Amino acid sequence: MKDVLISRLIVERYFEKLRNSLELDVAIVGAGPSGLTAAYELAKKGFRVAVFEERNVPGGGIWGGGMMFNEIVLEKELEDFLKELEINYTLREDHIVVDSVHFASGLLYRATKAGALLFNNVSVEDVAVQNDRVCGVVVNWGPTVRLGLHVDPITIKASFTVDGTGHPANVVSLLAKRGLVEMKTEFPMDADEAEKFVVENTGEIFPGLLVSGMAVCAVYGGPRMGPIFGGMVLSGQKVAKLISERLG
Ligand code: 48F
């Protein structure tokens, strides 16, 4: 029966992927622009990297552009990055304008093509900590977490974990609520300052845990920004560089 063959192929391939992801170099939480950029850069270098995204559709805040006008803006210095990814763009007034759907799908395609594994519908509900170091992520199905079902999670080991969960900084907040790190709150809108702030402060917040993208502003009290995405890409690149240097 063909239907059973289809089921078996899906189940076998999924479990191969999952088994190969039980011990990672890098676990990235959140498939937004910073997490996907980091995944692309790290996979390109040959590291074992997986992205865990609690929603069905990865891409985070990219798709909707600004107020659902599906265009986003990046700083001109990202032109080479877009060329490398073969993403189409327009240059206007010293800035790059990109169709947000094209940008999200391009980033997703290139990150996974480079070898990053992406698990959508998988929520990171906790981190594993041993010897005062984050050493992995604790995962469960997204709907299981949303519905509050009493189902235990499973653990994935990772040399480094990245909190790329955007505004709520969901991974750092797990440590903050246990008093292991201090966490501030995002400040009001200021795109000029926010773009610099996010890149400057991208880095390790707790041994083994790094923070990228908008989560940086939430954690360190930086301003929020609108549909300007240069800082997100640069933050993803920076976090990937910091981790690559450490992994060697
Ligand atoms: O928010 P998001 O797009 O992350 P980002 O890379 O980019 C921010 C921009 O989109 C935008 C902005 C900049 O111009 O202001 O907001 O910082 O994507 C974060 C992703 O993380 C997922 C969430 O569903 C989203 O797709 N996520 C959040 N918590 C978890 C998670 C979790 N606990 N486990 C798995 N995924």
Side-chain angles (χ1 to χ4, degrees):
M1 193 182 169
K2 188 147 181 136
D3 303 81
V4 175
L5 168 70
I6 295 166
S7 306
R8 183 165 53 76
L9 294 177
I10 290 172
V11 170
E12 282 174 2
R13 185 61 197 126
Y14 189 86
F15 282 98
E16 265 167 45
K17 265 195 315 199
L18 187 59
R19 194 187 55 219
N20 292 338
S21 300
L22 293 179
E23 295 189 66
L24 294 167
D25 292 319
V26 189
I28 297 177
V29 191
S34 68
L36 289 173
T37 302
Y40 167 70
E41 298 288 355
L42 288 160
K44 202 172 73 172
K45 291 195 164 78
F47 295 115
R48 285 172 307 162
V49 48
V51 184
F52 300 95
E53 167 55 53
E54 70 181 1
R55 293 187 207 164
N56 190 28
V57 181
I62 305 173
W63 301 101
M67 206 183 138
M68 293 192 195
F69 303 132
N70 65 353
E71 296 284 331
I72 56 164
V73 176
L74 291 97
E75 286 78 1
K76 201 162 172 262
E77 63 186 291
L78 269 312
E79 208 178 340
D80 286 343
F81 179 72
L82 294 187
K83 281 186 181 152
E84 182 181 322
L85 266 57
E86 298 182 54
I87 289 177
N88 301 334
Y89 58 89
T90 313
L91 282 178
R92 292 270 164 89
E93 299 175 47
D94 225 25
H95 283 77
I96 294 168
V97 192
V98 194
D99 180 302
S100 64
V101 175
H102 177 60
F103 183 64
S105 43
L107 254 187
L108 280 163
Y109 175 70
R110 293 306 298 260
T112 48
K113 177 88 176 157
L117 293 176
L118 207 156
F119 293 93
N120 55 336
N121 292 310
V122 174
S123 181
V124 169
E125 64 165 57
D126 211 342
V127 285
V129 176
Q130 280 188 350
N131 304 319
D132 299 320
R133 188 174 201 286
V134 169
C135 57
V137 289
V138 177
V139 299
N140 216 326
W141 297 117
T144 301
V145 174
R146 273 200 295 282
L147 292 170
L149 301 183
H150 192 168
V151 178
D152 273 327
I154 61 169
T155 303
I156 287 171
K157 186 178 169 205
S159 303
F160 290 95
T161 298
V162 176
D163 184 345
T165 64
H167 298 274
N170 282 329
V171 183
V172 176
S173 63
L174 291 165
L175 297 184
K177 75 178 182 193
R178 276 91 171 224
L180 294 171
V181 294
E182 276 186 34
M183 188 170 149
K184 295 190 176 157
T185 192
E186 208 176 82
F187 274 50
M189 194 82 110
D190 178 354
D192 287 308
E193 187 49 37
E195 286 282 278
K196 282 180 256 153
F197 187 97
V198 80
V199 183
E200 268 165 34
N201 290 282
T202 293
E204 194 170 35
I205 179 155
F206 187 84
L209 176 65
L210 292 90
V211 57
S212 73
M214 272 320 291
V216 171
C217 293
V219 168
Y220 296 109
R224 61 177 296 205
M225 71 201 86
I228 174 110
F229 280 73
M232 299 299 113
V233 172
L234 292 169
S235 170
Q237 289 179 326
K238 182 175 173 186
V239 93
K241 184 167 180 285
L242 294 172
I243 292 173
S244 322
E245 285 165 2
R246 300 274 292 280
L247 287 170

